[in-house]
């Protein structure tokens, strides 16, 4: 008996079983991928073993719900959320409890939230902001009509599904008004988004969501919250004094909307019905949808805007607005065998000219606001801090403490083939798009839809064509691209094959391969969105580093993905395998920085 008690006492209280059973009906759910944690909850993918439907499972240990007000808060969150049903509100599925935990099953939003998009992109374009914010307003119209105030609207609570639609979630601070005109007095919210009347404890209502909407619009367009400072007290002071600055780059309609939403007097703010009719939404281009690539790269709206303005009936994929289109419309019909023959017939001097051009200095022109080293310096600092902490010596038993799935990369290289002795490096991204970095430091990308191609000059200028319609000058490079694609499809195994679905959309802009080199141990690939990938030859493991998310994804020998935040590795440690790869990565980043390789192939290293 004593032994049994001792075993029970040593069993971890917060261990979540692999198969979770709803005691009320016997339904069984398989615990899957870890999604993250926040507040009291840990989140996992939960699969209904009968229907195979996958949910986001919010799991709260009862050991954290000891006080009555904590239980009441959770009960209120469940009561409010389960009563809601709207296209742009995270769908509530069910909830239940067992002796250890409370389980809340919600709609799974695989594209995370606007917070992760913000970290990777900083400021977004106005059409994107219009698209996202309009959906938030529509959800808030529904909430307010049902007497619900969310009270914690922020980028991290605006989730994104596979169709890139917004879903408001996390109703932990939400409240329902019992009667018209009621004012709530609870001090709650997130510092950068909290309204002045909440701070002043003057009583608040629906207008706090309008204020938060102003902070969201500002953050999306400017790239940082309007009242943010390094000190919480100073942030609150600025909110109370209504001190913020709108940069001159922001358009007049957007500036006017932000000013209306962030009025200090809540009575002067527009309601949701008025906001949705604002000039910002009615006068500018509103995309009907967005590609998943906008999670990491600004989309292109030129084709779709040109089509709308021209009011032509020409198929969208045949419209070319690159500015240098010569009018040639000619299909390329070469098959796999003839592709190779076509390449072999190309005069060798053409390819030698490619190699000669690669030695010319790269002007370093960039399409966006990215730094000239594409975040390599930031990554070097992050890696140096992790390595200095000696993480392998301090590994805790809770390795998941350092996990942060929100940092999982949007794009990485799933296949590659080195033909740089003649032409360049061909590669496939995880969404099945294909690119070639040619020896002359130009790039050609074929989107996953197999139709749209992007040509990027050495100075960063981008041109958009299709496989059927492109300038004659690109004939040889398009032929090479198709050859690389067919070779990789026939001969190479794809890494992480099921992580990212195909995405075919004429608005897509993909990160391109900026530079690469090989060592005896690995190939190092640096993408234009800052992602650095290292594939190790001997054991086929990989690490994918994202300086903007300050995260590393480790793909082990079994091709299983785990994503960790750098600062959490510093705090909690990591495995010896990952620690050694992070040390190697720091050396490679230092080599890239010292080589000052602007583009193309960096010098091969010997280590």
């Amino acid at each position: 008996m004593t032994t049994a008690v001792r075993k029970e006492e040593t069993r971890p209280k917060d261990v979540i079983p692999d198969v979770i059973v709803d005691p009320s009906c016997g339904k069984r759910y398989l615990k899957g991928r870890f999604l993250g944690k926040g507040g009291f909850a840990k989140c996992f993918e939960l699969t209904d073993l009968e229907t195979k439907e996958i949910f986001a499972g919010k799991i709260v240990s009862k050991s954290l719900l000891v006080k009555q007000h904590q239980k009441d808060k959770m009960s209120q969150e469940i009561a409010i959320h389960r009563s809601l049903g709207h296209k742009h509100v995270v769908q509530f599925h069910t909830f239940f409890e067992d002796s250890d935990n409370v389980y809340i099953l919600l709609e799974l939003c695989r594209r995370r939230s606007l917070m992760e998009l913000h970290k990777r992109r900083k400021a977004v374009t106005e059409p994107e902001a219009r698209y996202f914010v309009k959906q938030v307003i529509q959800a808030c119209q529904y909430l307010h009509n049902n007497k619900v105030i969310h009270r914690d609207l922020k980028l991290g609570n605006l989730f994104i599904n596979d169709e890139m639609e917004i879903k408001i979630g996390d109703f932990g601070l939400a409240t329902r008004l019992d009667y018209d005109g009621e004012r709530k007095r609870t001090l709650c919210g997130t510092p950068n988004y909290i309204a002045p009347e909440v701070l002043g404890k003057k009583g608040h209502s629906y207008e706090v969501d309008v204020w938060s909407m102003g902070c969201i619009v500002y953050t999306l367009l400017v790239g940082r919250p309007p009242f943010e400072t390094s000190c919480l007290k100073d942030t609150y002071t600025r909110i109370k004094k209504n001190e913020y600055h709108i940069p001159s780059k922001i358009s007049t309609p957007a500036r006017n909307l932000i000013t209306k939403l962030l009025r200090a007097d809540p009575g002067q703010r527009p309601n949701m019905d008025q906001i949705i009719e604002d000039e910002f939404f009615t006068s500018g281009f509103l995309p009907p949808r967005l590609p998943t690539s906008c999670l990491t790269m600004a989309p292109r709206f030129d084709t779709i805007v040109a089509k709308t303005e021209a009011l032509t009936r020409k198929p969208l994929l045949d419209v070319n607005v690159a500015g240098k289109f010569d009018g040639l419309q000619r299909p390329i019909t070469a098959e796999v065998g003839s592709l190779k023959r076509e390449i072999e017939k190309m005069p060798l001097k053409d390819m030698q000219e490619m190699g000669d051009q690669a030695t010319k200095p790269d002007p370093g022109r960039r399409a966006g606001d990215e730094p000239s080293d594409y975040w390599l310096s930031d990554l070097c600092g992050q890696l140096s801090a992790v390595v200095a902490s000696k993480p392998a010596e301090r590994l805790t038993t809770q390795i998941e403490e350092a996990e942060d799935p929100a940092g999982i990369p949007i794009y990485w290289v799933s296949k590659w083939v080195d033909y740089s002795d003649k032409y360049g490096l061909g590669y496939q991204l995880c969404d099945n798009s294909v690119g070639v970095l040619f020896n002359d430091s130009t790039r050609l990308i074929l989107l996953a839809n197999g139709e749209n191609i992007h040509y990027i000059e050495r100075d960063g200028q981008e041109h958009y064509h299709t496989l059927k319609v492109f300038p004659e000058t690109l004939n040889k490079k398009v032929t090479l691209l198709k050859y690389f694609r067919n070779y990789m499809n026939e001969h190479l195994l794809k890494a992480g094959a099921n992580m990212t679905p195909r995405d075919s959309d004429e608005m897509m802009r993909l990160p391109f391969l900026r530079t690469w080199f090989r060592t005896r141990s690995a190939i190092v690939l640096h993408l234009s969105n800052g992602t650095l990938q290292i594939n190790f030859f001997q054991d086929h493991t990989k690490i994918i580093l994202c300086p903007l998310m300050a995260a590393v994804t480790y793909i082990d020998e079994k091709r299983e993905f785990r994503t960790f935040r750098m600062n959490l590795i510093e705090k909690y440690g990591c495995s010896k395998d990952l620690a050694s790869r992070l040390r190697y990565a720091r050396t490679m980043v230092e080599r890239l920085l010292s080589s000052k390789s602007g583009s193309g192939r960096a010098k091969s290293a010997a280590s």
Side-chain angles (χ1 to χ4, degrees):
M1 186 172 178
T2 307
T3 307
V5 171
R6 192 174 293 131
K7 281 184 179 178
E8 179 62 25
E9 288 173 348
T10 57
R11 185 176 67 84
K13 294 285 185 184
D14 58 350
V15 169
I16 299 165
D18 290 333
V19 176
I20 297 164
V21 181
D22 180 348
S24 65
C25 63
K27 257 191 177 297
R28 298 162 71 241
Y29 300 91
L30 180 67
K31 184 181 74 174
R33 196 160 56 100
F34 176 59
L35 297 175
K37 58 185 177 182
F40 290 127
K42 288 184 177 180
C43 294
F44 292 85
E45 285 186 359
L46 297 183
T47 302
D48 185 322
L49 285 172
E50 184 181 347
T51 66
K52 306 305 178 186
E53 193 173 358
I54 304 174
F55 302 98
K58 188 173 179 179
I59 303 171
V60 181
S61 172
K62 285 187 173 179
S63 64
L64 301 174
L65 300 174
V66 177
K67 297 178 181 177
Q68 188 58 44
H69 77 88
Q70 294 169 330
K71 296 176 183 177
D72 293 343
K73 183 173 175 290
M74 169 140 282
S75 297
Q76 178 169 288
E77 176 183 353
I78 291 171
I80 290 176
H81 199 167
R82 72 187 300 199
S83 71
L84 303 173
H86 187 270
K87 179 182 179 182
H88 295 301
V89 173
V90 171
Q91 184 180 348
F92 188 99
H93 178 66
T94 190
F95 82 100
F96 56 89
E97 58 184 291
D98 57 23
S99 56
D100 297 317
N101 303 301
V102 176
Y103 304 89
I104 303 174
L105 273 63
L106 304 167
E107 174 183 5
L108 178 62
C109 296
R110 289 187 175 87
R111 296 301 176 183
R112 311 297 306 194
S113 74
L114 282 183
M115 175 56 73
E116 287 75 43
L117 182 146
H118 163 67
K119 286 181 179 179
R120 291 188 175 97
R121 292 276 311 280
K122 307 306 179 190
V124 304
T125 64
E126 284 202 8
E128 290 173 281
R130 210 171 275 120
Y131 171 88
F132 289 129
V133 173
K134 185 170 184 179
Q135 294 178 21
V136 180
I137 295 168
Q138 289 170 337
C140 286
Q141 284 179 303
Y142 167 79
L143 294 179
H144 292 184
N145 287 339
N146 285 274
K147 294 186 165 50
V148 172
I149 317 171
H150 188 278
R151 298 202 297 188
D152 198 21
L153 291 177
K154 58 183 179 180
L155 297 187
N157 287 338
L158 303 177
F159 298 95
I160 308 172
N161 68 4
D162 283 342
E163 286 71 45
M164 295 300 293
E165 295 169 329
I166 290 293
K167 307 273 184 170
I168 292 182
D170 196 343
F171 287 81
L173 296 181
T175 188
R176 194 186 294 274
L177 295 184
D178 295 321
Y179 56 89
D180 291 339
E182 182 186 3
R183 313 296 289 182
K184 299 290 184 178
R185 300 190 179 275
T186 306
L187 178 59
C188 62
T190 298
N192 277 324
Y193 299 82
I194 200 166
E197 63 267 29
V198 176
L199 289 176
K201 299 180 182 177
K202 299 175 180 177
H204 61 266
S205 187
Y206 302 114
E207 300 85 10
V208 298
D209 285 348
V210 176
W211 174 277
S212 297
M213 192 75 71
C215 296
I216 288 166
V217 175
Y218 184 103
T219 305
L220 286 174
L221 292 175
V222 178
R224 65 179 186 278
F227 303 99
E228 184 177 56
T229 67
S230 57
C231 169
L232 188 60
K233 184 179 178 183
D234 291 346
T235 297
Y236 286 162
T237 299
R238 289 184 63 184
I239 290 172
K240 290 173 182 176
K241 292 182 177 180
N242 203 235
E243 289 180 357
Y244 66 95
H245 168 70
I246 303 177
S248 57
K249 67 177 182 178
I250 303 302
S251 72
T252 299
R255 178 185 302 272
N256 291 342
L257 176 61
I258 291 168
T259 304
K260 293 174 192 172
L261 299 177
L262 293 181
R263 284 173 177 153
D265 179 358
Q268 295 298 309
R269 294 174 209 150
N271 60 35
M272 294 295 167
D273 294 339
Q274 294 167 325
I275 297 169
I276 208 163
E277 298 298 329
D278 189 86
E279 181 191 8
F280 177 71
F281 297 102
T282 58
S283 65
F285 174 59
L286 178 64
R289 63 193 179 284
L290 287 176
T292 55
S293 60
C294 78
L295 295 170
T296 185
M297 298 283 289
R300 51 180 289 252
F301 299 116
D302 53 355
T303 307
I304 199 164
V305 171
K307 183 192 179 192
T308 303
E309 290 176 351
L311 295 175
T312 71
R313 296 196 176 275
K314 193 171 185 179
L316 189 58
L317 293 175
D318 288 340
V319 177
N320 188 295
V321 291
K324 293 188 177 181
F325 178 51
D326 61 6
L328 181 68
Q329 298 192 29
R330 165 193 38 72
I332 297 293
T333 58
E335 300 297 330
V336 180
S338 56
L339 273 172
K340 188 173 182 181
R341 289 192 294 274
E342 206 169 323
I343 290 169
E344 289 169 348
K345 285 190 291 186
M346 290 182 188
L348 187 59
K349 68 179 182 65
D350 289 350
M351 295 305 153
Q352 288 171 337
E353 285 169 7
M354 282 186 176
D356 292 339
Q357 291 174 21
T359 61
K360 296 177 182 177
D362 187 335
R365 179 172 175 173
R366 298 175 306 285
D369 296 325
E370 60 269 16
S372 59
D373 67 355
Y374 291 83
W375 298 280
L376 280 173
S377 297
D378 291 354
L379 183 55
C380 191
Q382 293 164 9
L383 287 167
S384 296
V386 169
V387 170
S389 71
K390 299 181 178 178
E393 297 177 12
R394 297 177 301 95
L395 177 61
T396 67
T397 55
Q398 299 290 320
I399 190 170
E400 65 268 15
E401 292 296 331
E403 273 198 82
D404 184 18
I408 195 166
I410 307 300
Y411 293 103
W412 64 92
V413 177
S414 57
K415 297 180 183 179
W416 59 274
V417 57
D418 182 1
Y419 211 167
S420 57
D421 59 334
K422 286 189 176 181
Y423 311 124
L425 186 93
Y427 62 93
Q428 185 181 82
L429 293 180
C430 56
D431 71 333
N432 293 323
S433 56
V434 175
V436 181
L437 171 49
F438 293 104
N439 286 343
D440 65 352
S441 296
T442 62
R443 298 156 177 92
L444 193 59
I445 298 168
L446 173 64
L447 299 194
N449 62 13
E451 300 210 30
N452 295 79
I453 55 174
H454 296 177
Y455 180 64
I456 303 166
E457 297 184 36
R458 294 185 67 250
D459 64 1
Q461 288 191 63
E462 300 179 10
H463 306 281
Y464 306 100
H465 312 287
T466 74
L467 268 187
K468 294 179 180 178
V469 184
F470 58 85
E472 181 72 42
T473 52
L474 292 183
N475 184 25
K476 291 170 183 173
K477 288 181 177 177
V478 169
T479 304
L480 281 164
L481 173 78
K482 295 174 80 173
Y483 177 68
F484 275 111
R485 177 192 63 180
N486 292 331
Y487 178 86
M488 288 186 288
N489 286 342
E490 288 182 2
H491 300 289
L492 301 180
L493 180 69
K494 184 175 179 181
N498 298 317
M499 294 297 293
T500 303
R502 281 174 65 99
D503 189 356
S504 54
D505 197 307
E506 68 278 0
M507 291 182 284
M508 287 187 70
R509 279 182 66 247
L510 293 173
F512 57 79
L513 180 61
R514 176 184 164 264
T515 189
W516 67 280
F517 63 87
R518 291 175 73 162
T519 71
R520 285 197 299 263
S521 309
I523 183 169
V524 180
L525 305 144
H526 189 212
L527 300 181
S528 60
N529 64 352
T531 296
L532 185 83
Q533 179 172 335
I534 302 178
N535 294 6
F536 295 93
F537 296 140
Q538 186 172 358
D539 58 8
H540 304 292
T541 60
K542 301 166 183 66
I543 57 171
I544 305 167
L545 299 138
C546 177
L548 290 164
M549 297 298 289
V552 55
T553 297
Y554 180 38
I555 307 175
D556 63 20
E557 297 96 326
K558 298 176 182 176
R559 294 198 291 160
E560 292 180 354
F561 283 62
R562 293 188 85 167
T563 300
F564 305 91
R565 265 191 24 217
M566 301 280 204
N567 64 340
L568 294 180
I569 291 177
E570 286 181 57
K571 183 176 180 179
Y572 296 106
C574 68
S575 68
K576 289 183 179 179
D577 288 345
L578 179 54
S580 67
R581 284 158 179 77
L582 291 171
R583 286 194 301 272
Y584 188 86
R586 183 185 64 171
T587 303
M588 296 300 102
V589 171
E590 288 171 345
R591 192 162 293 173
L592 276 171
L593 284 168
S594 63
S595 73
K596 293 186 170 60
S597 170
S599 164
R601 183 178 184 179
K603 280 188 177 181
S604 292
S607 59

